[in-house]
Amino acid sequence: MKEFKVAFLGFGNVGTGTYKIIKENGSKIFQREGINITVKKILVRNVNKKRPVEVEPDLLTDNIKEIIEDPEIAVVAEFIGGEEPAREYILSALNNKKTVVTANKEVMARHWEELENAAIRNGCGLYYEASVAGGIPIIKVVRESLQGNNITEIMGIINGTTNYILTKMSEEERKFEDVLAEAQKLGYAEPDPTSDVEGYDAMYKLSILSTLAFHTRVRISDVYREGITNITPEDIAFGKELGYTLKLLAIAKKHGNKIEARVHPTFISADHPLATVRDAYNAIFIKGDAVGNLMLYGRGAGDLPTGSAVVSDIVNACLHQSKHMYSTLCNGDWKADEVLFDNNWETEFFIRMTVIDKPGVLAKIAGIFGKYGVSISSVIQKGRNSIHVPIIFVTHKAKEMSIKKAINEIKNEDVVIKIGNVIRVEH
Ligand code: HSE
């Protein structure tokens, strides 16, 4: 049986989960695959800290050199997260001829070219299944199972924290701040929730997924991003009346040579398969010209689900030492010469505003929408017990820029007290 020594960089939640899986299921996995994998070293900040799993003390080190310079270590699994020093350590591991497995979406989304080029130069592998949607094997599916397709669309719930928050806001009619505080207490949201609630986490993941799906480097600067912090229970309630469910969606579409990639709160019909994805679950919906519609569903975070993806990568890294698979962009061209990144996409819009309740207001606002070529499909106006009333417009398909221009003009009208939220609607 071929022996492989693996080292971990970092030993937080996912590192511990990966270690547990190797301890509990390792002997069976390795017997089936005909290899033997041993964890030789684990890089930690404090070797004396108490850990949730039992680890032999001599496995732990706080010196990266003990890993990078150990010729026996064939695979390095990175769990540090964030940009630096993760990028630097991954690069040194690759330059020392070690295959790298990473769960790090930020480092992949930002530094993919540099890391993959280093892997190719050194004849090693770079595996990143755990970087997108935790336990859902989406990278493998896009890379290895959908080659026969022109993928034209990806629409996913790829951030569990925001899905948990929006589920609670919707089902329990609660405010964002209340649910966020509860999610932080339960460990579903980080003490600093910015990356999740402002959509950065989903932006990194969409950059990785759409790059693979469209065989074109989609950089994070090509991804439009908007978080959920301004969403109110009123938006969700009005959406429900219209038959919609609110989700933070990561959307990427390809039309000819145009690509649009965006992360934002989105209304979808309550009967869309993604609308049934509740709590911290993730799901990714893909359209291919051959396969048609496909959806993968599962846990997008957590020690064991994400560890499941990492263990699979480690096993594959060991099995394919002589022939690693790289992205389809590795032939040197990471530029996207023939592709236009489109920020003027077309979709339907839900627009909530507060206006003065008097005759002619609706006609005035509808007139401005009309001036910019935006057609209205429905309007809801509530209440007559105050002079200020909420009014909701839902448009037919319209261009993003036309909506922006119309709203800019509408907000200056005397009868308009406030523009609330503008939420895109997808089908
Ligand atoms: N914080 C992420 C989420 C999981 O809420 O889905 C790690 O990417």
Side-chain angles (χ1 to χ4, degrees):
M1 226 185 238
K2 203 158 179 213
E3 295 280 331
F4 292 92
K5 304 277 187 225
V6 174
F8 288 5
L9 306 184
F11 204 43
N13 198 29
V14 179
T16 312
T18 305
Y19 190 78
K20 277 192 213 156
I21 298 172
I22 292 178
K23 284 278 144 201
E24 277 160 39
N25 302 348
S27 58
K28 282 193 190 132
I29 306 172
F30 305 147
Q31 197 181 9
R32 279 198 301 267
E33 302 290 349
I35 50 178
N36 195 24
I37 297 176
T38 325
V39 179
K40 187 175 179 193
K41 280 281 167 213
I42 301 175
L43 180 75
V44 291
R45 236 179 275 155
N46 176 1
V47 290
N48 298 314
K49 188 175 147 184
K50 203 162 161 33
R51 315 257 154 211
V53 284
E54 212 177 297
V55 195
E56 287 162 37
D58 63 347
L59 284 192
L60 301 176
T61 175
D62 55 10
N63 182 0
I64 181 75
K65 284 191 178 167
E66 282 189 29
I67 292 171
I68 301 294
E69 293 174 2
D70 182 344
E72 227 190 13
I73 292 172
V75 177
V76 169
E78 184 267 317
F79 304 105
I80 301 170
E83 202 174 355
E84 296 292 354
R87 184 202 63 93
E88 185 198 326
Y89 290 174
I90 293 174
L91 208 53
S92 332
L94 294 168
N95 287 333
N96 281 277
K97 315 269 181 232
K98 300 181 192 317
T99 282
V100 170
V101 170
T102 179
N104 191 325
K105 65 223 145 202
E106 182 172 355
V107 111
M108 283 304 299
R110 290 185 188 276
H111 301 287
W112 197 333
E113 297 88 326
E114 183 185 27
L115 301 180
E116 189 160 292
N117 285 333
I120 294 166
R121 233 183 14 251
N122 290 291
C124 354
L126 177 64
Y127 295 77
Y128 42 90
E129 181 62 67
S131 66
V132 179
I136 304 178
I138 184 69
I139 302 284
K140 216 162 276 150
V141 166
V142 173
R143 268 300 281 122
E144 296 172 31
S145 309
L146 294 176
Q147 300 98 322
N149 289 265
N150 288 309
I151 297 177
T152 51
E153 191 175 316
I154 300 170
M155 202 145 86
I157 296 169
I158 52 178
N159 182 269
T161 306
T162 47
N163 204 44
Y164 175 85
I165 294 174
L166 292 175
T167 304
K168 291 278 168 194
M169 284 179 73
S170 172
E171 293 179 3
E172 296 171 14
E173 298 175 8
R174 290 165 62 194
K175 285 192 180 145
F176 169 78
E177 294 76 14
D178 291 352
V179 180
L180 171 63
E182 181 190 86
Q184 285 172 315
K185 258 195 223 145
L186 294 171
Y188 284 119
E190 303 277 342
D192 176 358
T194 314
S195 175
D196 292 317
V197 299
E198 295 293 3
Y200 291 96
D201 175 82
M203 170 191 75
Y204 295 132
K205 293 168 179 170
L206 185 64
S207 155
I208 297 171
L209 264 190
S210 51
T211 293
L212 287 174
F214 300 148
H215 310 286
T216 299
R217 179 67 160 117
V218 180
R219 293 188 169 76
I220 54 176
S221 53
D222 301 316
V223 181
Y224 174 84
R225 177 195 53 78
E226 202 179 289
I228 63 162
T229 49
N230 293 327
I231 297 294
T232 65
E234 291 75 39
D235 293 318
I236 295 179
F238 282 124
K240 270 190 200 167
E241 266 187 54
L242 293 157
Y244 299 143
T245 302
L246 190 72
K247 296 289 179 190
L248 180 74
L249 288 194
I251 300 166
K253 296 184 186 180
K254 188 165 187 217
H255 316 271
N257 70 339
K258 281 191 181 169
I259 289 178
E260 61 188 62
R262 44 196 169 103
V263 170
H264 52 65
T266 312
F267 277 125
I268 44 176
S269 302
D271 59 3
H272 189 287
L274 287 173
T276 61
V277 177
R278 297 172 60 254
D279 292 332
Y281 275 90
N282 281 200
I284 299 144
F285 185 85
I286 294 181
K287 254 187 206 165
D289 58 353
V291 74
N293 294 342
L294 183 75
M295 191 164 111
L296 282 91
Y297 168 90
R299 289 205 177 271
D303 57 350
L304 296 178
T306 313
S308 153
V310 175
V311 170
S312 167
D313 272 356
I314 292 176
V315 170
N316 282 320
C318 296
L319 288 175
H320 304 299
Q321 282 287 315
S322 58
K323 191 177 183 304
H324 293 293
M325 199 187 280
Y326 304 110
S327 85
T328 53
L329 299 179
C330 70
N331 296 332
D333 190 10
W334 286 87
K335 294 193 295 296
D337 286 343
E338 287 137 39
V339 170
L340 292 174
F341 289 99
D342 187 9
N343 61 2
N344 193 19
W345 47 79
E346 198 174 57
T347 188
E348 294 170 19
F349 292 81
F350 164 108
I351 302 148
R352 178 171 63 82
M353 53 186 94
T354 307
V355 299
I356 291 174
D357 189 20
K358 67 175 191 185
V361 170
L362 194 59
K364 195 170 227 171
I365 296 172
I368 299 175
F369 279 127
K371 181 174 152 191
Y372 291 98
V374 176
S375 153
I376 305 297
S377 78
S378 53
V379 179
I380 306 180
Q381 190 206 309
K382 290 278 177 181
R384 286 224 66 175
N385 44 9
S386 106
I387 53 163
H388 294 171
V389 289
I391 187 162
I392 283 88
F393 292 88
V394 180
T395 72
H396 287 295
K397 275 195 171 177
K399 289 279 189 186
E400 177 82 15
M401 295 305 159
S402 310
I403 294 288
K404 285 216 158 88
K405 284 182 196 152
I407 300 277
N408 257 336
E409 192 166 327
I410 291 168
K411 77 171 188 238
N412 292 325
E413 288 294 324
D414 293 346
V415 291
V416 175
I417 307 300
K418 189 176 166 217
I419 303 288
N421 269 322
V422 176
I423 300 177
R424 298 158 190 92
V425 181
E426 290 284 334
H427 291 279

